[in-house]
Each structure stands twice: as C-alpha cells, then as structure tokens.
Amino acid sequence: MTVDLHSPAATVARLAADLPDDRLDDPTPCANYAVRDLLSHLVGLTIAFRDAGRKDLGPSTATAPPAKMPDLDPDWRTTLPRELDELVAVWRRTDAWEGMTQAGGVTLPAEVMGLVAHNELLLHGWDLARALGREYTVDTANLEASLAFLAPAQEAVDPDLPDPDAIFAPPVAVPADAPLLDRVVAMAGRSPSWRAV
C-alpha cells in the first residue's frame, strides 16, 4: 500500500505559514510539547523521512527523536515548507516504497516507513491545528490510510496496562459513527475534543 503525502504536508505548511510568533508557546495535544516543540519535531521528521525515502541513511535517519525537542531553528519558516515539499516529492517515487530503510533509528520495510511518515504528518498536522484553534482538513484517502495503519497497531493495546514505551497512547472511545477524522485521532490515543486550556 502506498499513499500520497501531499494533502497532510500541504495542510501543515498552510497552518505554519501564518503562525504568529506569540503562539509558539501555546500548548498542544502532544504532552509536554508547546507549539514550538511540535514545529521542531515536524522539521526533524520531514528531514528524517525524506532521507529514509531516498535511502540516504546516516545521522538524520539513525537517531531516535529526543525526549526534549531541540530549540526551534530560527529559519523554520523557510526550512519547514521546503522540507515538506521534498518529503512529498521523494515519497511519490516508486522506489521510495521498495526495499528496507531507516528513520528514528528503526529499520523497517520502506512500504511501512512511508505509512509511518504519512501518519506522523497527518496526526501532527491535527495537533498543530488544534493547538491554534483552526480547522483541519485532509483528503479522505489520507484519513482512511491512517485509520488502516493505526487499527492493527492498537489491537493489542490494553488500556488498563499502559505501556510507557508504546508509540501511541491507548485508543480513546468515540461513537462508531463519529467523523472519520475523529476516529483516526482517537485511534492514535488523542481526544478529538481536545482544546487548549
């Protein structure tokens, strides 16, 4: 399975484009991440997954995300949209989805890594939109791809025995007929009703 990363990447770029500096310290749905930390993470992951798609393995792909995000690059307004464009272009190539590759210090089949990259963009785009109190829209095909990716990963999660090393928090219960975006967000362990306090 492959998926086009354009819709979530373009949404992240749009949200970041007119983000005022006085919102950088606002909270986000990601525990312990302010908006500036989320942006720093987005810059880092776009580079790592771009290089993973290119099979250009090295420091950018071999290092796990740090527990504390590095300071936001002062040039992030230029860097992030450029890296997002490159990420999308790389993963539109057939060979990006072939063989094995690495990101975050983890080696996986490239087909899985591309889905991880897509899911990271989609979820963190929602995190950014929610932190800023803005609408979040991506193509239905992208939401369906994320839900299909997340569901098997969450099947074995025991909500009564949280795993501190788990990639996602336990799923949040939502009605079966909830909007697709809410179901994706909830499957990733986020509350669709999250609002900045």
Side-chain angles (χ1 to χ4, degrees):
M1 173 184 175
T2 63
V3 62
D4 191 345
L5 278 61
H6 171 74
S7 181
T11 300
V12 168
R14 177 180 52 78
L15 289 165
D18 59 354
L19 194 162
D21 287 344
D22 64 4
R23 303 297 302 273
L24 290 175
D25 292 318
D26 285 6
T28 75
C30 298
N32 304 318
Y33 274 23
V35 168
R36 69 173 62 252
D37 302 312
L38 182 56
L39 290 167
S40 179
H41 181 54
L42 281 161
V43 170
L45 76 85
T46 55
I47 294 169
F49 285 110
R50 177 205 64 197
D51 292 349
R54 290 175 175 167
K55 314 299 192 296
D56 182 12
L57 309 185
S60 67
T61 64
T63 307
K68 182 181 185 314
M69 283 298 111
D71 290 342
L72 182 61
D73 183 336
D75 294 328
W76 70 270
R77 292 182 188 279
T78 302
T79 304
L80 181 58
R82 182 183 68 238
E83 300 298 347
L84 286 165
D85 286 345
E86 291 182 7
L87 177 70
V88 170
V90 166
W91 286 97
R92 279 183 166 165
R93 295 179 358 207
T94 302
D95 62 339
W97 298 85
E98 298 171 346
M100 301 292 290
T101 193
Q102 180 188 62
V106 177
T107 300
L108 292 171
E111 184 175 5
V112 175
M113 195 66 80
L115 296 175
V116 173
H118 169 263
N119 200 64
E120 285 281 298
L121 274 183
L122 191 144
L123 290 174
H124 288 315
W126 180 85
D127 293 331
L128 184 58
R130 191 49 54 102
L132 299 173
R134 297 184 184 168
E135 289 298 312
Y136 182 71
T137 56
V138 294
D139 292 346
T140 299
N142 295 98
L143 293 172
E144 290 173 343
S146 271
L147 191 62
F149 173 76
L150 288 163
Q154 290 286 41
E155 283 178 0
V157 173
D158 184 342
D160 297 322
L161 296 171
D163 178 359
D165 297 321
I167 297 173
F168 304 110
V172 173
V174 293
D177 62 351
L180 181 55
L181 175 59
D182 287 0
R183 286 184 280 139
V184 171
V185 168
M187 185 65 71
R190 290 156 165 81
S191 170
S193 61
W194 187 95
R195 295 288 185 276
V197 177

